[in-house]
Amino acid sequence: MTPAEHAQLALLLEVAGTPKPGNVDRDRDFPDLRFEHFLAGAIGSGAGLRAAEEGKPVGEAFEQAVEGMSHQEGGNTQFGALLLLVPLVKADELSPESVTEVVEETTVEDAEGFYRAFEHVDVAVSDPPEGMDEFDVRRGSSAVSALREADTTLYDVMELSADKDGIAREWTNGFPRTFQASERIAELDGGISARAAQVYLEFLAHEPDTFVAKRHGKKVAESVLVRAQEALQEAREGNSELVTAFADSLVEEGINPGTTADIVAGGLFVALERGVSP
């Protein structure tokens, strides 16, 4: 399979894993966001992922992937995952150094493509730093003139958000959790989507999810982490019922640890490229 195909497969395997507390999986839907929306989003992102594989600029490939992903009724299914996958697919080799080179070489034009991608789907984001309203990603194309005037690259944009956004933090620190997830997936036994679901729970129990913090606040994100730790401990002792109950409760509460799921999708891609077979 090609890197672009492996990226699409990673998106499919990530959503197929279950139980995946708080996120859509093959056993759980939200009222307005269903399993099949994620399947359609993964297929729709293909043209943009192939563009990244062919060496197209990161911003152009990302916007194309998001635009294709948006062609389903659920809205934003994989925006964050694609923001990780595009530079991973584009990299000459799958190493932190190579992917860092890709993202550090992004341009103002790449930033423009990133901002335009927000016009295709509704993405939950934090307010920009004080005095930086002109760079609010929710402005979409309207922010292009400010980007050009300040000569702001896509990497610069990620640096602005890295203190409170887990995907931006991956970009600016060599994709550490993405590569850690791939290594953990490779270590485990069983079906690859089941391994991914286990890694998802382990990661959720290790670090507060930044998407949860954006939507519900820091205290809720920290509470989810503690509950994940309890569920993980029970799972390790052979009690899977608590994990299922935890998964159901987060869905009922509308708490969606999306950043953790996105990072697992990136880890799945790296694992597939390194030879892990589904």
Side-chain angles (χ1 to χ4, degrees):
M1 297 180 76
T2 67
E5 289 170 339
H6 271 157
Q8 288 181 283
L9 179 57
L11 294 173
L12 295 169
L13 290 169
E14 190 284 319
V15 74
T18 188
K20 210 173 58 193
N23 280 304
V24 170
D25 60 32
R26 67 175 183 267
D27 291 336
R28 290 169 185 79
D29 290 328
F30 295 164
D32 57 351
L33 185 61
R34 302 188 300 275
F35 180 63
E36 61 262 32
H37 292 145
F38 282 81
L39 303 183
I43 299 303
S45 68
L49 292 168
R50 289 190 293 274
E53 183 182 326
E54 293 164 1
K56 296 293 177 61
V58 169
E60 177 184 338
F62 176 70
E63 185 193 359
Q64 188 174 1
V66 170
E67 193 273 336
M69 176 269 288
S70 71
H71 290 171
Q72 33 75 29
E73 295 180 355
N76 175 25
T77 50
Q78 291 123 333
F79 189 98
L82 291 170
L83 189 53
L84 292 174
L85 288 170
V86 165
L88 287 166
V89 170
K90 184 177 170 65
D92 291 333
E93 62 180 50
L94 274 177
S95 68
E97 295 78 17
S98 183
V99 182
T100 295
E101 183 176 346
V102 169
V103 297
E104 286 184 346
E105 290 180 351
T106 55
T107 64
V108 176
E109 289 74 20
D110 291 315
E112 293 172 12
F114 173 71
Y115 272 66
R116 284 193 296 268
F118 283 85
E119 298 179 351
H120 299 296
V121 289
D122 184 18
V123 182
V125 296
S126 301
D127 292 332
E130 187 175 352
M132 303 288 286
D133 289 348
E134 61 185 342
F135 296 104
D136 190 337
V137 292
R138 291 167 292 195
R139 295 184 63 207
S141 297
S142 299
V144 166
S145 59
L147 294 170
R148 292 176 179 172
E149 183 175 349
D151 197 30
T152 303
T153 70
L154 182 47
Y155 187 82
D156 294 334
V157 173
M158 293 298 111
E159 284 189 314
L160 291 173
S161 304
D163 62 332
K164 54 187 175 182
D165 183 277
I167 304 302
R169 200 173 301 147
E170 288 293 287
W171 263 61
T172 55
N173 287 279
F175 290 60
R177 300 186 80 207
T178 300
F179 283 97
Q180 181 185 353
S182 74
E183 292 164 2
R184 183 63 178 139
I185 289 167
E187 290 172 354
L188 294 170
D189 296 320
I192 191 169
S193 62
R195 296 189 227 175
Q198 180 172 335
V199 173
Y200 169 87
L201 182 60
E202 292 176 357
F203 273 39
L204 194 59
H206 185 263
E207 186 173 307
D209 187 277
T210 56
F211 186 75
V212 173
K214 287 177 193 176
R215 293 289 296 271
H216 303 279
K218 184 178 179 180
K219 288 185 178 180
V220 173
E222 291 173 345
S223 173
V224 170
L225 179 143
V226 172
R227 292 162 67 186
Q229 290 172 342
E230 295 170 350
L232 181 61
Q233 181 60 39
E234 289 291 321
R236 287 172 173 167
E237 294 175 0
N239 180 11
S240 61
E241 293 181 1
L242 183 59
V243 181
T244 300
F246 176 45
D248 292 338
S249 68
L250 288 191
V251 172
E252 291 169 3
E253 296 165 21
I255 297 174
N256 170 21
T259 299
T260 304
D262 294 336
I263 290 172
V264 170
L268 277 163
F269 168 74
V270 176
L272 289 167
E273 281 286 286
R274 289 179 170 178
V276 173
S277 298

